[in-house]
Amino acid sequence: MPGVHAEVRGITKRYGRTLALDSVDLVMQRGRITTLLGPSGCGKTTMLKIIAGIEKPDKGTVVFDGRDVTFLPPEKRNIGFVFQDLALFPHMSVFDNVAFGLRVRGYSKSEIRRRVRDILELVGLDPEVYGDRRVTQLSGGQQQRVAIARALVFEPSMLLLDEPFAHLDYKVKMRLLSELRRIQRETGATIVYVTHDQEEAMLVSHTIAIMRAGRVVQVGPPEEVYERPSSTFVASFFGEANIIPLEGGRRHVIVRPEYVRLGPPTNGGLKGVVVDVVFQGAFYRVEVQAPQASIVAIVPKNGVHPRPGDRVSIAWDEDKALVVEE
Ligand code: ADP
């Protein structure tokens, strides 16, 4: 059933003098992955804890399925969560880690066995191979899978993940992110995902909420936030951006490197000198120093690419550039 699953309205939270959240509004669609993305300290974890019910806001409301749950404890919210510190039980087997919560709640032995096996398969851990292993005998990525299995074994309608893959190798992380999307499709769960890593956010999200200093500054699908950033902050935090000041200094042109075209210096328009050319496998990344700004261009491999010291003209299509005022 599509539609709004959860919503926060006017959430404000202070810790002493720190304003961690400043009147945040956000909608989380059912069966979608919504990511809170922003630099360290911008309030992402605090927001997630308030959605989970682990923290209470000073002001504002949290609504699940149209019902005010602001003061409902976490265990009554039908959520699962995984924090960066996985808090797995190191002396227990994989099976027992996942089964723990079910045993505490008095599920029958056969029901526990069925659920744990199903969920281990869902997260890509063969129960025959890994069920009896201690979690200390697993790789970091496998431990993450156990943590996700433990959160999902109650079949929560919402899964909250706080930087779950932060300390993993790049390739393991990429693999788990695509598996997370598969798990989301198979379970239909609503996921709220916290990260400071824009690449992770781009890979995993249906919707991204960009946060800065306790506020949500832009919300939208990754493509929209990338193509139409509302500020120089969003443009430079989410993807790489050329930000060129206009006269007066309050207005800036934002243009993504792949839209920049370099041409012979005899062409009209902006001019600059190539200062750096880096081969990046699929393309060249060329840095040009112009009087107004340093400008990065993505240059395809077919054809000639400029070399350091070359004088070039710099151009882009008007409809690929944005002007923001701040
Ligand atoms: P993020 O997850 O984006 O890194 P947090 O939500 O953890 O940010 O923190 C937001 C702000 O609130 C930071 O300035 C942080 O230092 C502060 N903060 C978070 N938790 C506490 C706490 N328990 N006590 C005091 N300050 C806190």
Side-chain angles (χ1 to χ4, degrees), residues 62-312:
V62 181
V63 176
F64 280 20
D65 292 309
R67 173 170 163 237
D68 185 339
V69 297
T70 316
F71 296 100
L72 201 67
E75 62 275 14
K76 300 220 166 121
R77 294 188 182 200
N78 190 20
I79 53 172
F81 38 86
V82 179
F83 291 109
Q84 200 172 339
D85 160 26
L86 303 181
L88 295 173
F89 305 115
H91 56 283
M92 282 190 197
S93 70
V94 168
F95 187 97
D96 288 343
N97 263 277
V98 180
F100 184 81
L102 298 171
R103 290 196 179 119
V104 169
R105 285 171 182 71
Y107 283 73
S108 74
K109 258 192 161 166
S110 62
E111 174 72 3
I112 291 174
R113 204 176 151 69
R114 184 188 66 75
R115 281 202 183 211
V116 174
R117 293 179 69 90
D118 287 355
I119 212 78
L120 286 176
E121 268 169 21
L122 176 76
V123 300
L125 287 174
D126 182 344
E128 301 295 337
V129 178
Y130 294 102
D132 294 334
R133 279 211 205 161
R134 283 180 176 217
V135 292
T136 48
Q137 297 169 319
L138 300 178
S139 70
Q142 289 167 338
Q143 291 182 9
Q144 289 294 345
R145 291 172 195 264
V146 176
I148 291 171
R150 195 177 56 175
L152 285 174
V153 79
F154 292 106
E155 299 175 359
S157 62
M158 190 185 295
L159 182 62
L160 307 176
L161 301 166
D162 190 357
E163 307 251 7
F165 309 139
H167 62 278
L168 298 177
D169 293 351
Y170 182 80
K171 283 204 167 162
V172 175
K173 190 188 329 191
M174 293 302 124
R175 172 91 198 272
L176 283 170
L177 286 168
S178 85
E179 293 223 21
L180 185 62
R181 287 185 71 114
R182 174 186 59 76
I183 290 168
Q184 190 282 319
R185 286 193 298 273
E186 288 181 20
T187 60
T190 303
I191 295 181
V192 185
Y193 188 90
V194 161
T195 182
H196 65 276
D197 182 322
Q198 50 128 341
E199 193 183 2
E200 272 185 45
M202 204 168 304
L203 272 168
V204 83
S205 316
H206 296 110
T207 301
I208 294 181
I210 308 255
M211 294 186 66
R212 180 188 199 184
R215 290 172 163 264
V216 169
V217 292
Q218 190 168 0
V219 185
E223 296 88 337
E224 186 185 303
V225 176
Y226 183 85
E227 299 295 347
R228 309 216 67 81
S230 59
S231 62
T232 54
F233 171 79
V234 172
S236 52
F237 195 77
F238 191 58
E240 187 167 20
N242 294 301
I243 296 170
I244 304 151
L246 295 173
E247 267 168 57
R250 291 189 53 228
R251 281 151 33 99
H252 291 81
V253 174
I254 299 172
V255 58
R256 296 293 185 183
E258 64 273 28
Y259 297 137
V260 173
R261 288 192 311 270
L262 303 179
T266 46
N267 286 5
L270 215 53
K271 303 279 191 304
V273 177
V274 174
V275 290
D276 199 17
V277 179
V278 180
F279 176 63
Q280 302 231 284
F283 53 83
Y284 289 94
R285 183 177 179 282
V286 179
E287 198 180 320
V288 180
Q289 189 60 53
Q292 297 85 342
S294 165
I295 291 174
V296 172
I298 296 301
V299 176
K301 284 189 294 189
N302 47 3
V304 281
H305 63 85
R307 298 185 182 281
D310 285 357
R311 289 193 57 78
V312 291

